[in-house]
Amino acid sequence: QLAAHRSQLHVVPEGYADEQALLIEPVACAVHTALAAGVRENDRVLVSGAGSVGLFATLALRHLTPAGEITVVAKHGHQRELALELGATEVVTPGEVLRRVRRSTGAFQLEPELGSPYLLGGVDVAVDAVGSKQSLETALPATRAGGRVVMSGMPAAADLSAAWFRELGLVGSYASARREPGAGGRPAFEVATE
């Protein structure tokens, strides 16, 4: 049993299987993430992680924003296939992120004496859909100066110096919103159910 306020309850549409109904909540979180990303027309987007959070974020980014290229970082073959099916333009492994983003955006890769490599240029928006030190440190150096990084996974401790010296906008995204400004004020659950 679970106590919940009526505002937290949502009617499951007639004809939905239990498996479909169970996916509404995580898709609603992805709707919130995609809309919090502030993606503009033809922005290049990187999704770091291809678990359920990253895959649903990819789906929401493709269908709810005017994103251009969406690059997804995936470790496993089945994630690659699902990411492409859900709207990714390209899927890369963690080890090839900077090289592939550099090539697709025309950025330059810098190799500082202290610290990790990063791009001069890069994607406009990155979504950390894992929350690990590695995934956040994949998203930050691949994002252009002044770009935006959305932390959708529960973040672990990571080196945030790139956010400081490249003036990146860091945005947290947790759960879903009752009213999504980017969806005309409609609830994220309603958008996800559709």
Side-chain angles (χ1 to χ4, degrees):
Q1 293 183 351
L2 177 69
H5 188 271
R6 70 175 50 99
S7 67
Q8 296 173 296
L9 303 176
H10 303 275
V11 176
V12 175
E14 194 68 38
Y16 270 43
D18 288 346
E19 293 82 2
Q20 289 172 299
L22 285 170
L23 292 177
I24 293 173
E25 189 277 336
V27 171
C29 295
V31 165
H32 183 62
T33 294
L35 296 176
V39 175
R40 292 180 295 217
E41 189 74 33
N42 290 320
D43 272 355
R44 290 183 167 128
V45 180
L46 174 72
V47 177
S48 182
S52 42
V53 173
L55 291 172
F56 290 144
T58 301
L59 174 69
L61 285 160
R62 180 54 70 209
H63 289 280
L64 300 175
T65 74
E69 294 178 10
I70 299 175
T71 302
V72 175
V73 183
K75 287 184 178 180
H76 309 290
H78 69 281
Q79 292 173 325
R80 171 182 292 283
E81 293 168 21
L82 287 169
L84 290 169
E85 200 173 305
L86 295 175
T89 308
E90 179 179 34
V91 182
V92 300
T93 64
E96 61 185 353
V97 174
L98 287 185
R99 182 174 55 81
R100 298 287 282 274
V101 168
R102 180 179 52 82
R103 184 181 307 152
S104 70
T105 64
F108 294 99
Q109 183 167 328
L110 300 177
E111 306 274 346
E113 285 184 37
L114 301 174
S116 301
Y118 65 93
L119 297 180
L120 186 58
V123 297
D124 302 293
V125 177
V127 175
D128 172 15
V130 179
S132 71
K133 182 178 188 298
Q134 180 186 7
S135 65
L136 187 54
E137 290 178 357
T138 294
L140 291 170
T143 306
R144 67 168 174 77
R148 191 172 178 98
V149 177
V150 181
M151 298 179 294
S152 187
M154 296 301 288
D159 177 9
L160 297 178
S161 59
W164 166 72
F165 76 83
R166 296 178 62 219
E167 298 186 358
L168 300 176
L170 291 177
V171 177
S173 175
Y174 179 72
S176 61
R178 291 186 61 206
R179 300 281 175 233
E180 292 287 352
R186 295 171 41 217
F189 267 81
E190 183 181 310
V191 176
T193 301
E194 288 176 5

